[in-house]
Amino acid sequence: MTLSLELRQKLEAAAGPHGVIAPADAAPMLEEWRGRWRGVADLILAPKTVDSLSAVMRLCYENNVPMTPQGGNTGLVGGQIPAGGVLISTRRMRAVREISAFNNTITVEAGMTLQEVQNLAHEEDRLFPLSIGAEGTCQIGGTISSNAGGVNVLRYGNMRDLVLGLEAVLPNGEIWRGLHGLRKNNTGYDLKHLFIGGEGTLGIVTAATLKLFPRPTQCVTSFATIRDPQAAIELLAIAQSETGGMVSSFELISQSTLDLVVKNIPDNRWPLTASPWSILMEVTSGGQQGLQHQVETILEAGLNKGLILDATIAQNEAQSAQLWALRHNASAGMKPEGPAVKCDISAPIHQLPSFLAEATQAIEKACPGARIVAFGHLGDCNIHFDVVPPLKNADNFADRLPELEQVVHNICVAHQGSISAEHGIGVLKRDELARRMDPVALSMMRHIKSTLDPKGLMNPGKLL
């Protein structure tokens, strides 16, 4: 649609001083970071306050203008890319409203980056445990709207588990003020869960009260090459039993993943002799002594049982950071290889080895020479099963992405899994969700959408 001059001026005034993003600065906001989706917007606004945002959304609603919310533009399913109308960025909503070490809570606005919240918690000798590769860029509003997961879900849960209260602006401009720091609040429907994972289709999250935790005083990071994915599952069971559930992260990484990181990202190298499968494990404790000895015991047990081929333990923070860089750079290491199938699946943990074997075989049959890049959060049953082009005869690979994605998803569903573990639905999986989801559940979701957004203006074309 085309905005009238009068409406444009009203929207720009409502956004407040410095609330309009100039066309010269718009390009990075209209393209997904891998270049898979490019969008258009009639106007890009970045209000600084919830009242300004409310005024903008009220005008859009009254004039039937589609609205697309955007945080740090780090999403992987296209949910943040507009197809016309007004793109609304939360980048300027950055206030810290409250932090309480006694209540173990922090209340921040949606435009704060995840890393900034982690740092604020650290200053109070607390931990905000959500950790993902894009934490220096992604924003709190986006991590809530996508229900971000990351490497610490095993111990602390995903974003849904870390949110106590929310503030959000509804499509018609009404402000829902649901911020609180209560762990118990049994007063009817827990409305915040409509917005956590809602991908901006029901409104825009403007602030959140988040859980903090005592900051661990001990952290032991280890890396091991292993026999196979089944060995990783058995090793995780040993680690959980030995530590009493203090394993924070347990990542499974394939050789092809690490090979691409070492190839394409400077200053990364294999910490041990290359092997088809590896794990990265982190165990933390607030006061228990002898944590490294416990980890050594775990690794020794794994070696004795034939689960582990070789292992190393980081001796300081720098070495730990080097090990984590290998995992966090997995997506960046793939990017130079060209367009890729990006499957973000989960399945019961005992099903994952057979899923990996069957999906690998099916892709090799469907597209000989395609390179499989598998890695992810084995501890919480989430694997990123990606496919990059063959080194030869890859001319039509980009055209085959949907077909190959379906190959993987069909096997995932056959293993009682989910086609979206932590990345969301967005544009990428919208049609597939409609085909695969339980009809009653889909109907319930559509009824909620039509109740809160009867005009269908909020992030149209995404999720539903």
Side-chain angles (χ1 to χ4, degrees):
M1 66 176 299
T2 301
L3 302 178
S4 69
L5 177 60
E6 179 184 6
L7 179 55
R8 177 182 291 269
Q9 290 173 340
K10 287 182 178 179
L11 286 166
E12 291 177 351
H18 311 294
V20 180
I21 303 298
D25 300 320
M29 304 177 71
L30 296 174
E31 183 174 348
E32 186 253 2
W33 71 277
R34 297 166 302 174
R36 185 163 185 178
W37 290 279
R38 291 178 176 84
V40 293
D42 298 287
L43 184 63
I44 304 178
L45 300 175
K48 189 174 183 179
T49 69
V50 65
D51 290 330
S52 294
L53 176 59
S54 172
V56 166
M57 294 178 68
R58 186 178 301 111
L59 281 168
C60 288
Y61 190 80
E62 291 170 351
N63 291 276
N64 299 313
V65 178
M67 296 167 273
T68 301
Q70 186 180 101
N73 193 15
T74 60
L76 297 173
V77 292
Q80 74 278 27
I81 303 300
V86 176
L87 176 63
I88 302 175
S89 170
T90 56
R91 61 167 64 176
R92 297 177 66 234
M93 305 185 73
R94 297 179 40 77
V96 180
R97 299 196 185 175
E98 184 182 44
I99 183 167
S100 172
F102 294 104
N103 197 43
N104 281 312
T105 56
I106 183 171
T107 302
V108 298
E109 292 186 345
M112 293 284 290
T113 68
L114 173 54
Q115 191 170 72
E116 288 171 332
V117 173
Q118 294 169 343
N119 292 339
L120 287 166
H122 189 273
E123 291 171 6
E124 298 292 328
D125 199 31
R126 293 294 183 267
L127 171 73
F128 183 64
L130 189 75
S131 179
I132 59 179
E135 60 195 27
T137 307
C138 68
Q139 296 174 12
I140 288 300
T143 60
I144 291 170
S145 296
S146 61
N147 188 28
V151 298
N152 290 328
V153 171
L154 174 61
R155 184 166 179 183
Y156 297 100
N158 54 23
M159 195 59 160
R160 187 179 299 281
D161 301 297
L162 300 173
V163 176
L164 291 171
L166 285 182
E167 176 186 86
V169 182
L170 303 183
N172 64 2
E174 291 182 327
I175 303 172
W176 172 54
R177 303 185 191 276
L179 291 174
H180 60 74
L182 302 174
R183 267 82 177 168
K184 287 187 173 182
N185 181 21
N186 193 11
T187 53
Y189 302 136
D190 196 343
L191 297 175
K192 68 177 180 286
H193 289 296
L194 294 176
F195 298 90
I196 304 172
E199 301 188 31
T201 59
L202 302 178
I204 299 180
V205 172
T206 53
T209 300
L210 307 170
K211 294 180 185 177
L212 301 181
F213 297 82
R215 187 163 65 88
T217 56
Q218 296 184 79
C219 177
V220 179
T221 306
S222 59
F223 181 95
T225 53
I226 57 172
R227 186 190 67 209
D228 53 30
Q230 179 61 37
I233 293 173
E234 295 176 30
L235 184 64
L236 173 61
I238 294 171
Q240 290 286 59
S241 177
E242 177 67 28
T243 64
M246 291 190 297
V247 180
S248 298
S249 306
F250 197 90
E251 301 289 301
L252 179 69
I253 315 172
S254 69
Q255 179 175 345
S256 56
T257 305
L258 293 177
D259 284 345
L260 291 181
V261 171
V262 171
K263 172 187 173 184
N264 294 322
I265 308 297
D267 302 321
N268 283 268
R269 60 182 179 82
W270 270 88
L272 299 170
T273 302
S275 176
W277 293 99
S278 304
I279 61 101
L280 179 62
M281 178 174 68
E282 191 157 275
V283 183
T284 58
S285 170
Q288 182 175 336
Q289 298 301 310
L291 191 63
Q292 178 153 331
H293 176 69
Q294 281 188 305
V295 174
E296 290 171 351
T297 300
I298 294 165
L299 298 178
E300 183 178 0
L303 285 164
N304 290 338
K305 289 178 177 292
L307 308 176
I308 291 177
L309 307 178
D310 197 3
T312 184
I313 296 176
Q315 298 302 306
N316 50 51
E317 290 186 6
Q319 290 183 7
S320 176
Q322 288 173 350
L323 292 177
W324 273 110
L326 292 167
R327 169 61 184 86
H328 285 318
N329 282 316
S331 292
M334 293 171 53
K335 187 177 179 180
E337 302 298 313
V341 177
K342 301 283 289 185
C343 295
D344 161 46
I345 72 96
S346 63
I349 194 166
H350 67 279
Q351 296 268 20
L352 288 175
S354 57
F355 161 78
L356 287 166
E358 291 176 28
T360 297
Q361 184 178 27
I363 289 295
E364 289 174 346
K365 180 179 179 180
C367 186
R371 293 166 290 164
I372 294 163
V373 182
F375 60 97
H377 321 300
L378 183 72
D380 49 86
C381 308
N382 173 199
I383 296 295
H384 302 295
F385 191 93
D386 301 340
V387 186
V388 297
L391 293 173
K392 298 180 179 179
N393 303 319
D395 291 343
N396 69 334
F397 187 80
D399 297 331
R400 299 193 65 192
L401 296 184
E403 168 203 345
L404 297 176
E405 183 179 76
Q406 291 304 304
V407 170
V408 178
H409 285 174
N410 287 339
I411 296 171
C412 168
V413 171
H415 285 80
Q416 303 171 344
S418 167
I419 64 169
S420 179
E422 64 177 359
H423 290 166
I425 300 299
V427 177
L428 178 63
K429 301 175 184 178
R430 176 177 181 256
D431 293 341
E432 188 173 3
L433 181 74
R435 291 196 306 271
R436 294 185 185 271
M437 195 173 196
D438 173 73
V440 175
L442 189 63
S443 176
M444 291 169 66
M445 289 174 61
R446 286 173 171 164
H447 275 88
I448 292 169
K449 168 72 170 174
S450 63
T451 298
L452 294 181
D453 183 20
K455 295 185 177 183
L457 298 175
M458 200 72 246
N459 213 8
K462 317 296 171 51
L463 181 58
L464 291 173

